[in-house]
Amino acid sequence: MRIVHNISKRVDEADRELLKLLAMKADDSEFVTIRIDEADPRWPEVARWVAEQNPVDIYWTEFTNEEVAAARWVRLFTDWMHGYPQPEDDYAELTYGATGCGKCAVGRVQRAPFRLKGEPRWGRRGIFQLFWVYSEFFVRPEVWKEVFRPLGVEARPVLNRKGTQELRTVVQLVANEQVSVATADLLHAICPVCGERKYLPHRRGPFPSLLAEPGSHYVKTTQWFGDGGEAFQETVISNALMRALVAHAARGAKGWPVADADMKRVDPTVKAFGGT
Ligand SMILES: [Zn+2]
């Protein structure tokens, strides 16, 4: 596991001196982007600079294939964001009806199929997500039949842009269970309209541990995440499902290990539901 930062800043002479001292690449452009791992011996110095200068610092955690394979549960994500839900202006109303908060989007419930511009151009990939809709995953029908269906995961159809026709080469996966995660280490905001919490997307280290053992292989978190107008529930899948995806070589699927050290700890402030 390593924590990687992508830091961007408009640099002045002092910055340039520091970067030179640290033997980091800073060409003559006004704006530099540096990518650094927290295990790098230069990181403490860079971290001090980041704290002082407050540049744009996007960070995430990278796990080895072995770490992912060893995790009992992983948060599912993909390396392919394939466009936007359709029609872009009306998709929320068409897909979720009047459910969810109008301000923060927490509480949306899917009432109708998603629509796409057309059949996805899959190439050799097998799974994707849409921008704005980070809760949902879309796969080729054969990936669903061979990987997900044997483990009890259901699928629902996806429509064309006008909603008049089912697409033939894509289905949406369906989670029928929710699980709560430990929230002690997560930052959150409370919506002034609905009073619900929205957690900042988790980026450092293993994903927070589950408060109950899910009874199915593909579940959503009870908690909602997001840092803007969007809100989404993260998707957590079992080791068996992640292995099946890897074995099928369904390109695009990525797993972020879930911590399981304190699986039995129950946070009394969060009501767990679903599962067994
Ligand atoms: Zn709200």
Side-chain angles (χ1 to χ4, degrees):
M1 174 181 88
R2 56 199 206 109
I3 296 165
V4 182
H5 292 251
N6 216 54
I7 299 160
S8 313
K9 188 179 184 295
R10 190 177 293 278
V11 287
D12 58 23
E13 275 313 306
D15 294 321
R16 217 178 278 284
E17 279 304 307
L18 173 76
L19 294 173
K20 209 187 292 172
L21 274 174
L22 292 170
M24 284 181 156
K25 202 174 142 225
D27 56 26
D28 290 337
S29 61
E30 248 185 292
F31 205 80
V32 296
T33 297
I34 54 178
R35 186 182 164 116
I36 183 167
D37 181 335
E38 289 188 9
D40 189 304
R42 297 169 296 185
W43 170 247
E45 191 69 21
V46 174
R48 265 193 294 279
W49 177 64
V50 167
E52 271 170 26
Q53 302 289 327
N54 203 26
V56 176
D57 175 16
I58 295 170
Y59 63 91
W60 63 93
T61 309
E62 288 181 0
F63 297 90
T64 63
N65 291 341
E66 291 73 23
E67 286 168 330
V68 174
R72 295 182 58 229
W73 296 91
V74 298
R75 176 174 76 75
L76 181 64
F77 65 107
T78 68
D79 61 7
W80 190 27
M81 304 302 297
H82 185 58
Y84 294 86
Q86 299 296 317
E88 288 175 29
D89 292 338
D90 308 328
Y91 90 94
E93 203 184 331
L94 285 170
T95 314
Y96 303 110
T99 67
C101 174
K103 179 162 180 68
C104 72
V106 165
R108 282 178 174 174
V109 178
Q110 187 175 350
R111 298 292 195 215
F114 277 96
R115 302 179 187 187
L116 302 180
K117 277 185 179 162
E119 301 289 350
R121 294 191 197 91
W122 287 103
R124 296 174 69 184
R125 296 173 171 114
I127 184 167
F128 68 83
Q129 286 172 283
L130 295 173
F131 289 110
W132 305 340
V133 187
Y134 305 103
S135 296
E136 306 302 336
F137 292 83
F138 300 83
V139 297
R140 287 173 180 266
E142 56 271 30
V143 171
W144 172 62
K145 281 178 195 145
E146 288 163 31
V147 176
F148 291 90
R149 191 167 62 179
L151 292 173
V153 183
E154 293 172 12
R156 62 184 298 169
V158 177
L159 306 182
N160 65 350
R161 190 173 188 281
K162 287 184 173 166
T164 52
Q165 209 172 5
E166 273 186 28
L167 298 179
R168 289 173 295 103
T169 65
V170 57
V171 294
Q172 179 196 346
L173 300 173
V174 177
N176 286 320
E177 182 180 344
Q178 297 187 16
V179 64
S180 281
V181 302
T183 55
D185 300 329
L186 297 174
L187 296 172
H188 71 266
I190 293 181
C191 174
V193 173
C194 70
E196 293 291 338
R197 288 177 183 213
K198 192 194 283 188
Y199 292 90
L200 272 185
H202 168 269
R203 293 187 293 190
R204 179 181 286 275
F207 190 71
S209 57
L210 311 182
L211 298 188
E213 188 76 6
S216 44
H217 292 272
Y218 182 92
V219 302
K220 280 197 193 334
T221 61
T222 308
Q223 286 79 15
W224 291 75
F225 294 81
D227 56 5
E230 292 118 37
F232 56 93
Q233 291 160 287
E234 295 282 19
T235 297
V236 172
I237 69 172
S238 68
N239 177 282
L241 183 48
M242 190 68 219
R243 281 173 185 266
L245 272 167
V246 171
H248 189 274
R251 281 203 187 172
K254 300 277 179 185
W256 185 303
V258 173
D260 66 357
D262 49 358
M263 180 75 85
K264 298 217 164 49
R265 192 185 79 181
V266 172
D267 179 349
T269 62
V270 179
K271 188 170 175 285
F273 69 96
T276 48

